[in-house]
Amino acid sequence: MGYTCPVKERQDWWNSTACPIVILNFLIGLFFAVAYLYQFVYVVVVLFRGMVNLPPAKKNHNFAFVIAAHNEEPVIGNLVRSIKEQRYDGEIACFVVADNCTDSTAQLASEAGAVAWERNDLVRKGKSWALDYAFSRILDEYGDRYEAFIIMDADNIISPNYVEVMNQAFDAGYLVCTSYRNSKNFDSSWISSGYATWFLREARFLNNPRMMLGTSCAISGSGWYVAASIVRGMHGWRFHTLTEDIQFSTFCCANGIQIGFAPAEFFDEQPVTFKASWIQRMRWSKGFYQVFFSYHKNLLNGIVHDHRFASYDMLMTIAPAMLLTLLSVLVNGGYLVMGWLSHGFFATQSEMLMCVGSLIMTIGTMYLSFFLIGLITTISERKHIHARSRWRVITNLFTFPFFMLTYVPITVAALFMKVEWVPTKHDIAVTFDDVIAEG
C-alpha cells in the first residue's frame, strides 16, 4: 500500500521545513536592507550636494610620487611624464621601484625623468614590499624634504591639476587621502567597463559623500597619499596582505585616522579578459578575508565603545556579504532538489515553486540593484566616461550586473583556494590627452 500524507502531517511538515526557509530568506533580505541602507543615504547626499569642494590651500607642500613597477615597459613612461607635466608650484619628485623586473622599466622611467631604483628580492616580492623599500630609502636619503607620498601604479596617468587638488586636502589637515579613480580603457570589453563603472561609483557615491559627511573614506589600489609622518612613525610599511590598500584603510579606521577624499582625477587600466579579472578579483577577495578576520574585533570595538560610524562603514565594506547570498541560494536550491528527487515527499509542488520563486527573486533583486547602481553612476558621471563607442556605454548598463554577480563564485573560491600575488599585465600606452579625446 502506498504512503499518503494526511493533511495534519503535511501541515506539520510545512511548519518544520518550509517556514524556516521562508524565515531565512526574510532575515537575509532584511539584513541587507538594514545593513546597507546608509549607502542609499550616500546617493541622496550626492544628488543634492554634488561633489565635495575643498578650500584653497594656503601652502604648496612637497610631494614624492612612489610607483612600484614590475615589467611595465609599455606604460611607465606616460605616467612619469604626466607627473612631470603637473601644473603645481610646489616641489614634486617621482620615485620608481623596478621590482624584480626583467625588462627596461627602470631605464625608461629614468629617461622620462624619474629616480629609478632596481630591487631584486624574489622572497618578499610584490607592491607592498616595494613600497616599504621606497619609503625607507626616501626617508633615509632625503630626510624631511617630502611631506607626503603619493602612491600610483605604473599603468596610471594623472590629470594636469592632480597634485594641486591633492595639496588642498593635505593643507586642510588630512594625513591620508584618496582621489577620483577613472579608467583609460572603458570600452575595451564588458569586463573593463564593469570595473570602470564600479570605480566611478566608488569615487562619486561612496568616498565623496563620506568626505562631505565628515566620516572616513577608503583607499583603493592607487591614487592616494599618506603623510610621511605616519610612515616614519610606523618605522616602515607594515601592510603585506594580498590587499594592502584595504588593510591600510582598516588600520586607519581602527586607529582613528580619518581618510579624506579629493576630486583629483586619475586614470588606470582595467583587465580586459574574464580570466585576468578572475585572477585579480580572487586576490582581492582573499585579501578581504585576511583583513576581515584580522581587524573585525577592532572595528566592532570602534562601533560598540567609540560609537564611530566609520568603523561600521568599514566593517560593511570588508564583510563577506556575498556568502549570505550564496547561503540563501544553496538552501533554497537544496530544498528544491530534495523535493524533486523525493517525488513530493520532502516538498509539495507549491513548496518547490516557492523555492523557485525565492531563487528568482534573490538573483533578480541583485541584478536590479546593480542595474540601478550602474544607471545612476552612468548618468551622474557621463562627462567622465571616455569611450569611443556609445554602444559600449549603453550595453554596460546590462552587463555590469552580470560582472558584479560573478563575485559570488569568486568569493566562494577565494574562501577555500590558495591565492598568491600575481602581477596584472598592462599594455595600453595612452596619454592624458588621448583618453580625454575619446568620447
Side-chain angles (χ1 to χ4, degrees):
M1 179 179 293
Y3 176 80
T4 57
C5 184
V7 174
K8 184 177 183 304
E9 187 174 348
R10 173 63 68 192
Q11 185 65 42
D12 292 341
W13 185 255
W14 166 266
N15 292 334
S16 62
T17 58
C19 280
I21 291 178
V22 174
I23 294 173
L24 174 66
N25 293 332
F26 174 77
L27 290 177
I28 291 177
L30 183 63
F31 169 79
F32 277 108
V34 173
Y36 293 97
L37 178 63
Y38 73 96
Q39 293 191 6
F40 173 76
V41 176
Y42 282 172
V43 174
V44 175
V45 170
V46 173
L47 293 179
F48 278 94
R49 297 180 58 180
M51 185 66 79
V52 65
N53 186 24
L54 295 170
K58 299 177 181 178
K59 177 184 177 182
N60 290 326
H61 300 270
N62 298 336
F63 295 93
F65 279 84
V66 179
I67 304 155
H70 174 75
N71 290 344
E72 300 284 7
E73 268 187 355
V75 294
I76 188 65
N78 284 338
L79 169 59
V80 175
R81 281 186 284 273
S82 72
I83 293 172
K84 291 296 181 178
E85 295 168 359
Q86 286 292 290
R87 298 195 296 260
Y88 184 68
D89 292 332
E91 183 178 352
I92 301 174
C94 181
F95 298 89
V96 174
V97 178
D99 191 42
N100 296 294
C101 291
T102 57
D103 65 0
S104 302
T105 295
Q107 177 185 342
L108 294 176
S110 180
E111 291 175 356
V115 176
W117 293 324
E118 295 188 68
R119 175 182 179 271
N120 295 288
D121 188 336
L122 296 177
V123 177
R124 297 182 299 178
K125 59 183 180 180
K127 179 179 177 179
S128 64
W129 292 107
L131 292 180
D132 185 44
Y133 173 87
F135 292 153
S136 298
R137 188 162 176 178
I138 293 171
L139 290 174
D140 286 344
E141 296 183 11
Y142 294 85
D144 297 329
R145 183 171 178 174
Y146 303 107
E147 300 168 78
F149 305 117
I150 301 179
I151 314 305
M152 306 302 301
D153 286 341
D155 59 293
N156 300 157
I157 49 176
I158 61 178
S159 57
N161 67 336
Y162 185 85
V163 177
E164 179 185 356
V165 179
M166 293 294 268
N167 180 65
Q168 290 177 333
F170 188 77
D171 195 66
Y174 290 93
L175 299 179
V176 183
C177 182
T178 188
S179 57
Y180 187 100
R181 186 175 185 176
N182 205 338
S183 300
K184 64 183 184 181
N185 63 323
F186 183 99
D187 56 358
S188 291
S189 72
W190 70 279
I191 294 292
S192 64
S193 59
Y195 273 101
T197 303
W198 180 259
F199 289 134
L200 288 173
R201 181 252 180 180
E202 182 181 72
R204 181 75 173 193
F205 292 104
L206 289 179
N207 285 328
N208 177 43
R210 285 166 177 160
M211 183 71 165
M212 289 190 288
L213 294 174
T215 184
S216 188
C217 304
I219 64 173
S220 175
S222 57
W224 53 276
Y225 73 66
V226 54
S229 59
I230 290 182
V231 179
R232 189 181 297 106
M234 294 189 299
H235 303 288
W237 194 243
R238 299 163 41 187
F239 310 99
H240 302 291
T241 63
L242 291 170
T243 49
E244 76 288 332
D245 50 356
I246 199 67
Q247 182 187 8
F248 179 57
S249 295
T250 309
F251 168 83
C252 289
C253 187
N255 289 276
I257 301 173
Q258 186 177 4
I259 300 176
F261 168 75
E265 189 173 22
F266 76 100
F267 303 82
D268 68 347
E269 180 181 334
Q270 309 305 339
V272 175
T273 66
F274 184 77
K275 180 180 179 181
S277 174
W278 177 278
I279 293 173
Q280 184 185 65
R281 290 188 288 158
M282 275 281 286
R283 175 174 63 83
W284 290 354
S285 297
K286 192 72 170 183
F288 269 64
Y289 284 130
Q290 293 173 334
V291 175
F292 176 77
F293 290 117
S294 297
Y295 289 90
H296 69 280
K297 292 182 180 179
N298 302 80
L299 296 178
L300 287 172
N301 183 68
I303 297 170
V304 176
H305 294 98
D306 301 327
H307 308 294
R308 286 203 303 261
F309 175 76
S311 297
Y312 175 80
D313 192 2
M314 183 58 66
L315 185 64
M316 291 299 100
T317 299
I318 65 175
M322 284 291 186
L323 292 182
L324 282 179
T325 302
L326 180 66
L327 175 64
S328 176
V329 171
L330 290 178
V331 170
N332 283 276
Y335 186 73
L336 181 63
V337 171
M338 286 193 301
W340 179 72
L341 293 176
S342 66
H343 302 287
F345 175 74
F346 284 104
T348 64
Q349 186 70 22
S350 61
E351 291 165 0
M352 287 191 289
L353 287 174
M354 177 197 68
C355 290
V356 172
S358 178
L359 288 171
I360 294 175
M361 182 174 294
T362 298
I363 298 174
T365 300
M366 291 183 66
Y367 183 93
L368 180 60
S369 298
F370 289 127
F371 177 84
L372 290 175
I373 288 174
L375 179 63
I376 293 173
T377 302
T378 301
I379 294 174
S380 172
E381 305 309 285
R382 60 191 181 277
K383 293 183 179 180
H384 293 272
I385 297 176
H386 303 285
R388 292 182 298 271
S389 172
R390 290 187 178 181
W391 283 110
R392 174 65 69 188
V393 179
I394 296 173
T395 57
N396 176 62
L397 295 175
F398 302 94
T399 58
F400 173 68
F402 286 116
F403 171 79
M404 295 305 300
L405 285 171
T406 58
Y407 264 109
V408 176
I410 290 173
T411 302
V412 177
L415 186 62
F416 300 102
M417 294 179 64
K418 182 180 179 180
V419 181
E420 296 182 349
W421 177 81
V422 177
T424 302
K425 183 180 179 181
H426 302 120
D427 54 15
I428 299 179
V430 294
T431 66
F432 173 79
D433 291 335
D434 293 333
V435 175
I436 296 299
E438 294 183 359

